[in-house]
């Protein structure tokens, strides 16, 4: 496989090439085999590399040593994208604003519902949208072309969003005392899995933002205007309706698994 890869054999399957590249990232002996294979099986590439090296070495020597600087751990880059930091900060700020509204807003504004409970089901979607947005990530093209791109990387970034957002919501729900964790945790996870499932068709960012916009128009805006929570939301967040959210979560997960190959081409 390494010999075929070095020679640029076009009959190699795409998934085989990606698996080989992912393996080469962590296997020094195989990288040595690749270097030897390029030298013997692809002399044109070896000559090109030598030419580039001969042109760069004098320039690099003239630049001098670069002072060492802090480098973030490798696992941070594999789980997070720089664009997620401001979005996660914004999510925390939105939760804080909801807490302030819950404490200071007149009772007739949101009726019997807490602002935290209104935004909790869709709040993780803001971070999910930012975690896979080509417009917000300057290195999106580079990331999307790596061997580890696709569903595994998307799940890592989604998990990192949930790890940050869910504790903030848990703290907000505990401070307000208006809703239990189970009443918003399952809806949050259900909306997240639905966004990932729809993302295999229209793109994760579009799917997440579409669900947020739909929830805002159907639930948050009417509640803010009338001061009454829509009847269907009151019914949906009741304890006896939690199995329905669990079913929606399971369906979203099954859809993601069934369409897992499409995420590498988003």
């Amino acid at each position: 496989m390494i010999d075929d890869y070095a020679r640029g054999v076009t009959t190699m399957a795409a998934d085989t090439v990606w698996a080989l590249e992912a393996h080469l990232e962590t296997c020094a002996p195989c990288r040595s085999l690749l270097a030897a294979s390029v030298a013997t099986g692809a002399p044109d590439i070896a000559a090109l590399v030598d030419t580039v090296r001969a042109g760069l070495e004098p320039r690099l020597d003239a630049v001098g040593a670069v002072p060492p600087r802090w480098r973030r751990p490798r696992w941070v880059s594999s789980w997070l994208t720089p664009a997620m930091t401001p979005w996660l900060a914004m999510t925390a700020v939105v939760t804080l604003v909801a807490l302030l509204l819950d404490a200071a807003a007149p009772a007739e504004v949101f009726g019997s519902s807490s602002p935290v409970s209104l935004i909790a089901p869709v709040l993780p979607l803001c971070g999910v949208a930012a975690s896979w947005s080509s417009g917000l990530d300057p290195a999106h093209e580079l990331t999307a072309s790596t061997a580890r791109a696709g569903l595994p990387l998307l799940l890592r970034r989604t998990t990192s969003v949930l790890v940050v957002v869910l504790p903030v919501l848990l703290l907000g729900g505990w401070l307000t005392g208006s809703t239990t964790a189970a009443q918003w945790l399952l809806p949050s996870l259900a909306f997240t899995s639905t966004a990932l499932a729809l993302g295999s068709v229209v793109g994760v960012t579009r799917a997440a933002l579409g669900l947020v916009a739909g929830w805002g128009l159907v639930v948050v805006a009417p509640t803010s205007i009338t001061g009454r929570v829509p009847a269907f939301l009151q019914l949906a967040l009741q304890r006896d309706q939690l199995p329905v959210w669990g079913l929606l979560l399971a369906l979203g997960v099954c859809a993601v698994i069934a369409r897992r190959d499409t995420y590498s081409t988003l």
Side-chain angles (χ1 to χ4, degrees):
M1 288 172 60
I2 289 178
D3 290 339
D4 292 342
Y5 180 77
R7 293 193 302 268
V9 176
T10 58
T11 56
M12 292 185 67
D15 55 348
T16 302
V17 174
W18 281 34
L20 179 60
E21 290 177 348
H23 176 74
L24 289 171
E25 290 181 5
T26 58
C27 183
C30 285
R31 289 197 298 270
S32 300
L33 291 176
L34 176 62
S37 180
V38 169
T40 57
D44 294 339
I45 296 179
L48 176 61
V49 172
D50 292 338
T51 301
V52 173
R53 182 182 294 111
L56 286 178
E57 281 181 345
R59 301 183 182 182
L60 295 176
D61 293 337
V63 171
V66 178
R69 64 177 183 176
W70 178 82
R71 296 181 61 185
R72 59 185 177 182
R74 186 175 181 179
W75 66 268
V76 175
S77 300
S78 63
W79 285 82
L80 299 173
T81 174
M84 291 172 62
T85 303
W87 279 77
L88 291 176
M90 180 201 69
T91 301
V93 170
V94 170
T95 306
L96 178 61
V97 171
L99 287 173
L100 294 176
L101 288 174
D102 185 85
E108 61 270 11
V109 175
F110 295 100
S112 60
S113 179
S114 166
V116 177
S117 64
L118 289 178
I119 65 171
V122 296
L123 194 57
L125 297 183
C126 298
V128 172
S131 69
W132 205 250
S133 171
S134 59
L136 296 175
D137 187 359
H140 177 79
E141 292 184 357
L142 180 63
T143 302
S145 63
T146 61
R148 296 173 187 263
L151 182 59
L153 183 58
L154 177 60
L155 291 180
R156 286 186 179 188
R157 293 184 173 181
T158 302
T159 301
S160 64
V161 171
L162 295 176
V163 166
V164 174
V165 174
L166 294 185
V168 175
L169 289 176
L170 182 61
L171 177 62
W174 176 74
L175 290 176
T176 59
S178 57
T179 181
T180 63
Q183 287 179 283
W184 57 259
L185 180 58
L186 271 179
S188 295
L189 296 178
F191 271 108
T192 301
S193 66
T194 302
L196 296 184
L198 294 176
S200 65
V201 181
V202 300
V204 176
T205 302
R206 293 191 187 96
L209 294 180
L211 289 175
V212 171
W215 182 265
L217 291 175
V218 175
V219 175
V220 179
T223 303
S224 302
I225 295 173
T226 64
R228 292 180 298 177
V229 180
F232 76 91
L233 179 60
Q234 294 180 356
L235 178 63
L237 294 181
Q238 291 179 0
R239 291 180 180 272
D240 56 355
Q241 297 299 319
L242 293 181
V244 178
W245 290 107
L247 177 60
L248 182 60
L249 170 61
L251 291 176
V253 171
C254 292
V256 170
I257 295 174
R259 295 183 56 81
R260 60 187 179 274
D261 294 335
T262 62
Y263 292 91
S264 60
T265 59
L266 290 179

